[in-house]
Amino acid sequence: MSYDLDFWKYKEGIYLDNQQVYEKLSDGDFVDGLEILPISQIIKDIKEEFSDWTITNHDFEKDGKGAFQLFTTEQFVRVDCYGVSGDDMNKLIDILLKYGCPLYDPQVSERFDEHATS
């Protein structure tokens, strides 16, 4: 079973429709109102956290732990997870939170930030 985790950062004072932002970013589009992210540093942090996994470009795999792939643009990080544990997904979420990028979960159409309704 796959699960994707999605991350971006709004500019100060801006908050858009999260589902629309997600769709545009997933298509590789640039979205006005979002910050440019330090993608190379984010990828470096993920590679350090998962250094005991087999890493090929943006693909990460470990026997018994599943696999995940990174898709990035200058404004967006998507992590496609395949059989990855909740603990390992939380590690990814924590890394992106350091950059001011809370999780958007398209499976439930919710962004987990200060604007969350639940």
Side-chain angles (χ1 to χ4, degrees):
M1 181 173 174
S2 67
Y3 205 91
D4 72 277
L5 310 173
D6 302 276
F7 306 91
W8 61 84
K9 182 177 181 179
Y10 287 114
K11 290 185 177 179
E12 186 71 31
I14 295 178
Y15 201 79
L16 306 171
D17 180 283
N18 292 313
Q19 181 63 32
Q20 289 179 3
V21 170
Y22 164 73
E23 290 172 9
K24 289 178 182 179
L25 291 171
S26 291
D27 287 340
D29 295 340
F30 186 88
V31 177
D32 288 329
L34 301 186
E35 297 284 357
I36 302 300
L37 301 176
I39 295 298
S40 59
Q41 185 60 49
I42 291 169
I43 291 170
K44 181 178 180 243
D45 288 357
I46 293 171
K47 286 182 175 181
E48 286 176 9
E49 179 66 39
F50 292 91
S51 62
D52 60 336
W53 290 46
T54 301
I55 303 169
T56 308
N57 296 319
H58 292 126
D59 298 335
F60 296 70
E61 186 174 358
K62 186 170 183 182
D63 286 342
K65 294 282 212 167
F68 64 89
Q69 294 177 308
L70 301 178
F71 168 76
T72 63
T73 69
E74 62 185 347
Q75 295 180 305
F76 182 54
V77 175
R78 185 180 74 219
V79 185
D80 296 322
C81 301
Y82 307 95
V84 174
S85 73
D87 286 344
D88 286 329
M89 284 192 264
N90 284 335
K91 290 177 186 177
L92 292 160
I93 292 166
D94 289 343
I95 290 168
L96 273 295
L97 277 175
K98 289 189 324 186
Y99 295 95
C101 299
L103 170 67
Y104 176 71
D105 184 340
Q107 288 83 196
V108 296
S109 299
E110 185 172 355
R111 182 169 160 97
F112 295 90
D113 61 9
E114 68 273 7
H115 298 284
T117 57
S118 56

